[in-house]
Amino acid sequence: MISKEIFKNIKRIQIRTNKYVQDVLAGAYHSAFKGRGMEFEDVREYQPGDEARSIDWNVTARMQYPFVKNFREERELTVILLVDVSASSLFGTTGRKKSELIAELGALFSLSAINNNDKVGLILFSDQVEKFLPPQKGLKHAMRVIRELLVFKPEGRKTDIAKALTFLGKIQKRKSVVFLISDFLSPDFKDELAVIGKRHDLIGVNVRDPHERTLPKVGLLQLKDLESAKTLIVDTSKKKIREMLASRSKKIADELRKMFDMHADGLIHVHAGKPYMESVNEFFCKRRVSR
């Protein structure tokens, strides 16, 4: 039994993300993520402008008039949400934790898939695989995915993306669309990313808080690593320290984007406290054009 507050949060996220799905992403998701291939449907008479390679020469020979093959797209896809629920997702300085934004993004992709009659599966991970929901269709299943994203309490605190990708490779043999949603504060996972990127359409969604990239100038500041529980005192009044953090954060972000461009299907950057739909829609549109 879920509490009234959790139920309200689920409905709020459903209403907000469903509005985005209908108003902003309508058609963009469908165009960006095609089916597995084209299936023969029937033949029709040739019309000016039809490509010569689509002519059915056997039918044309019998009918003494050119006929072309009609194909329809095999639409059904499987979408897997590979979601980081480690302790670092509980960080937030904008009045909103990264975990809340991650849940909303998961709902967005889930409802987009269901709206297109695709299956959706969910893998929650920390430094271990925490939960797996096999892919299914339907709004009822999408609501269960949203509920798990909001209420699930992980056992692990750290992050191991390599382990999560390895698990995905074992349980999902058929080619799928995979959204890897994380802050990517994890040990190296390049090799596992390359393997999964060859078998699936793998898109990274990098969720970060603005103060993970730049420190405010507030003097002495005690920082705590939520995953290791280690603490550190930093003097934010020193410009050199602030610039060093900003430079290091930019370098990590650039390397992450380069890795996803090379071994996967790209990376969406999302920042807590800022609207995310522009970044998501821009990615979908770029993918549609490239396809």
Side-chain angles (χ1 to χ4, degrees):
M1 181 68 69
I2 60 175
S3 67
K4 288 184 179 180
E5 184 179 353
I6 293 296
F7 181 77
K8 285 181 180 179
N9 284 338
I10 292 173
K11 293 301 293 182
R12 176 182 57 80
I13 285 182
Q14 182 200 8
I15 291 169
R16 181 188 297 177
T17 53
N18 200 49
K19 184 177 186 300
Y20 290 150
V21 169
Q22 300 296 332
D23 296 349
V24 183
L25 294 183
Y29 171 92
H30 177 92
S31 300
F33 303 103
K34 299 289 187 180
R36 298 187 306 277
M38 304 300 288
E39 185 178 74
F40 174 75
E41 189 168 43
D42 57 20
V43 293
R44 62 169 173 79
E45 291 187 3
Y46 175 88
Q47 297 175 1
D50 288 335
E51 294 185 8
R53 63 181 177 179
S54 65
I55 294 175
D56 188 319
W57 295 106
N58 291 329
V59 177
T60 297
R62 288 199 305 270
M63 303 302 293
Q64 298 296 305
Y65 189 86
F67 277 76
V68 295
K69 296 177 181 178
N70 263 341
F71 294 87
R72 64 180 175 83
E73 182 186 343
E74 289 185 87
R75 259 305 305 157
E76 184 180 296
L77 291 172
T78 297
V79 175
I80 302 293
L81 304 180
L82 193 58
V83 181
D84 180 358
V85 291
S86 62
S88 62
S89 67
L90 300 177
F91 182 74
T93 63
T94 63
R96 191 181 198 190
K97 297 176 182 176
K98 288 188 291 183
S99 60
E100 296 170 8
L101 180 53
I102 286 172
E104 192 162 316
L105 287 163
L108 178 73
F109 299 134
S110 178
L111 291 173
S112 294
I114 294 300
N115 193 53
N116 279 271
N117 201 36
D118 295 333
K119 293 180 181 180
V120 179
L122 175 67
I123 299 172
L124 302 177
F125 71 93
S126 56
D127 52 1
Q128 63 190 37
V129 174
E130 300 275 358
K131 192 174 189 68
F132 171 50
L133 293 182
Q136 292 184 34
K137 292 184 179 182
L139 181 59
K140 183 178 180 180
H141 179 68
M143 295 304 291
R144 185 185 176 191
V145 168
I146 296 171
R147 184 185 69 199
E148 293 292 349
L149 288 167
L150 281 172
V151 306
F152 185 82
K153 303 297 182 186
E155 293 183 6
R157 296 186 61 81
K158 298 183 179 181
T159 310
D160 193 333
I161 293 176
K163 188 175 290 186
L165 290 170
T166 299
F167 176 80
L168 171 66
K170 290 178 180 178
I171 58 97
Q172 191 63 30
K173 302 299 183 181
R174 187 179 185 184
K175 185 172 183 178
S176 305
V177 176
V178 180
F179 289 99
L180 172 52
I181 310 175
S182 174
D183 54 17
F184 295 98
L185 302 177
S186 170
D188 182 58
F189 56 93
K190 182 171 65 175
D191 291 343
E192 290 79 7
L193 186 77
V195 171
I196 295 299
K198 289 179 180 178
R199 292 171 50 186
H200 301 282
D201 286 341
L202 177 58
I203 299 104
V205 185
N206 186 18
V207 180
R208 301 302 300 270
D209 185 275
H211 285 138
E212 289 176 315
R213 301 192 68 176
T214 56
L215 286 175
K217 187 179 179 181
V218 292
L220 292 177
L221 186 66
Q222 180 174 303
L223 304 176
K224 181 178 180 180
D225 187 324
L226 292 172
E227 296 192 1
S228 68
K230 292 180 179 179
T231 59
L232 177 70
I233 303 295
V234 177
D235 187 356
T236 62
S237 64
K238 294 184 178 180
K239 183 179 179 181
K240 186 177 180 180
I241 290 179
R242 298 198 310 274
E243 289 178 345
M244 183 176 66
L245 174 65
S247 175
R248 182 174 180 271
S249 296
K250 184 180 184 304
K251 181 181 179 181
I252 291 172
D254 290 344
E255 289 176 350
L256 187 66
R257 181 179 292 280
K258 183 178 179 181
M259 186 167 65
F260 269 86
D261 287 343
M262 181 179 297
H263 298 297
D265 290 77
L267 184 68
I268 305 172
H269 281 289
V270 177
H271 299 281
K274 295 183 179 180
Y276 58 80
M277 275 308 303
E278 183 177 346
S279 298
V280 173
N281 195 42
E282 181 183 1
F283 176 84
F284 280 13
C285 290
K286 284 183 178 178
R287 181 182 170 91
R288 178 182 58 193
V289 171
S290 67
R291 289 177 68 92

